[in-house]
Amino acid sequence: EPATLDVTGLSITYGAGPQGLKAVRDVSFRIAPGEAYGLIGESGSGKSTIAYAVLRHVPAGTVSGRILLNGQDVMAMSPQTLAGIRGRVVSMIYQDPMSALNPAIRVGEQIAEVIRQHRRGDRASAWARSVALLGQVQLPLPAEIAHRYPHQLSGGQQQRVVIAMALACDPELLVMDEPTTGLDVTTEAVILDLINDLRHALGVAVLFISHNMGVVAQVCDRVGVLYAGQLVEEGSTAQVLRAPRHPYTIGLMNALPTIDRAADRLVDIPGRLPDLRVVPPGCVFAPRCAAVQDICHAVMPTLEPVGTGHDSRCHERDRLERLLPAVAPATA
Ligand code: ATP
Ligand code: MG
């Protein structure tokens, strides 16, 4: 089947030699046209590194593996081809969205500028489309908002402007790196609703990055769980949320607030990510794993099917129910 994004065996190492930091290791995943795929993992797991690699915003020589956008090899593209693709085929919304806005330029003008970079057409038509986009992201009085500077908008309104800018050239894939960072919970919920509405209305595929399983569940069709640069579990959102088959995913689920467990009493997974310069043999999660066995320290598990379209990288994937305490149901 066609894939909007097809990543195979992606590895990214920062720095040369044996001391290089192995930020991403042998990651493969596909995103179908119009599909929303979530990448989830704690800080330092390699999420942003993968997002940057999709548009080749990573240092040359650090990447191995293959990234295909609509079948085109990103690593082999000429700078001109790449420039044409950025914004038009793929748009990025970065972890710090305000960095996408120029404080000195009216927001309508900033969006119009993006439109003019990729399309012919006069200033008036670019401005008109800019106002239309501000309406599409449900900003009230878009014609008035277009004249404002970023600091004259709330955080949630600024994020809508950033999304409007990302949509300016009708991309086929939106890469969103923690798009609700810095927003309060209420505003976050509204922005997630907007992302859902837009992706269904426009049929745009989404690579959605988050460290919060509850947030991913609201937006994504499928989820890949990243730990120390490796995918440790992948499946439909329902499979991964309702029947997680990796101890790390189960730990992430336990970290979610439930009806019985308030948000201020989250269960953390003890320990921290390993040093990514010296990755030990065996399972990289073993030092933190509540279900660890002898084999886990010796042999690195491979990603194996545990159901249709559901994979887990765990030697004990068929015995977890006996080895781990019950998984709390997710209500987020
Ligand atoms: P967060 O949730 O905090 O945003 P992340 O999952 O996005 O984390 P990355 O930013 O991809 O993680 O970082 C993965 C690893 O690579 C980290 O150990 C980080 O320190 C390292 N790293 C990221 N960028 C660089 C860089 N330009 N040079 C060297 N190391 C880097
Ligand atoms: Mg990041």
Side-chain angles (χ1 to χ4, degrees):
E1 330 92 83
T4 299
L5 179 66
D6 185 351
V7 174
T8 310
L10 181 68
S11 293
I12 301 173
T13 303
Y14 290 114
Q19 281 301 294
L21 188 149
K22 295 153 197 77
V24 175
R25 294 181 297 140
D26 196 22
V27 166
S28 302
F29 64 96
R30 292 161 60 92
I31 305 181
E35 184 180 38
Y37 185 93
L39 262 184
I40 185 163
E42 70 197 284
S43 184
S45 56
K47 306 181 298 294
S48 294
T49 299
I50 293 173
Y52 288 126
V54 170
L55 274 176
R56 218 166 85 193
H57 285 303
V58 283
T62 59
V63 182
S64 67
R66 203 184 60 180
I67 300 174
L68 302 181
L69 272 173
N70 284 336
Q72 277 193 289
D73 186 341
V74 172
M75 298 303 154
M77 281 175 193
S78 69
Q80 296 91 311
T81 307
L82 199 58
I85 273 182
R86 289 177 177 159
R88 199 172 47 76
V89 178
V90 186
S91 269
M92 289 278 294
I93 292 177
Y94 293 100
Q95 198 161 349
D96 173 18
M98 298 327 141
S99 66
L101 297 177
N102 184 329
I105 302 178
R106 297 177 197 276
V107 294
E109 193 53 47
Q110 295 192 49
I111 298 171
E113 181 57 37
V114 173
I115 295 166
R116 283 204 303 274
Q117 275 169 15
H118 284 279
R119 294 182 178 187
R120 271 180 273 271
D122 53 32
R123 284 180 162 271
S125 67
W127 180 267
R129 170 144 172 81
S130 171
V131 173
L133 282 159
L134 292 171
Q136 195 161 28
V137 296
Q138 291 160 29
L139 280 164
L141 303 174
E144 191 258 317
I145 295 266
H147 287 282
R148 295 212 199 152
Y149 293 94
H151 72 88
Q152 295 171 316
L153 301 172
S154 72
Q157 290 175 327
Q158 289 173 342
Q159 187 59 308
R160 287 169 195 269
V161 171
V162 172
I163 293 170
M165 201 181 313
L167 293 172
C169 298
D170 297 317
E172 291 167 50
L173 175 66
L174 267 182
V175 179
M176 307 183 131
D177 192 353
E178 311 238 18
T180 57
T181 304
L183 301 178
D184 63 77
V185 182
T186 314
T187 310
E188 173 176 65
V190 176
I191 293 288
L192 292 175
D193 274 348
L194 173 68
I195 293 169
N196 261 327
D197 290 348
L198 288 172
R199 88 157 178 104
H200 288 116
L202 304 175
V204 62
V206 176
L207 173 55
F208 189 94
I209 288 170
S210 177
H211 59 269
N212 184 326
M213 191 70 107
V215 167
V216 166
Q218 287 179 58
V219 177
C220 299
D221 305 309
R222 285 194 304 132
V223 185
V225 181
L226 206 58
Y227 183 78
Q230 273 184 331
L231 273 183
V232 296
E233 182 162 1
E234 185 184 65
S236 72
T237 305
Q239 286 169 328
V240 175
L241 260 85
R242 292 201 198 124
R245 293 289 292 276
H246 192 283
Y248 178 61
T249 317
I250 293 170
L252 289 177
M253 302 295 305
N254 285 336
L256 278 182
T258 65
I259 295 207
D260 301 329
R261 193 170 59 229
D264 59 344
R265 285 182 48 237
L266 293 187
V267 181
D268 270 337
I269 306 170
R272 54 172 67 188
L273 280 180
D275 182 348
L276 296 173
R277 285 164 301 184
V278 263
V279 181
C283 174
V284 75
F285 188 61
R288 293 172 76 179
C289 184
V292 66
Q293 306 292 309
D294 286 347
I295 185 178
C296 306
H297 295 295
V299 181
M300 182 173 63
T302 49
L303 209 49
E304 299 291 339
V306 291
T308 309
H310 189 186
D311 300 288
S312 166
R313 188 190 290 277
C314 175
H315 291 302
E316 303 300 332
R317 59 188 178 277
D318 294 326
R319 296 205 303 151
L320 290 175
E321 272 173 32
R322 266 171 291 157
L323 293 172
L324 290 176
V327 183
T331 56

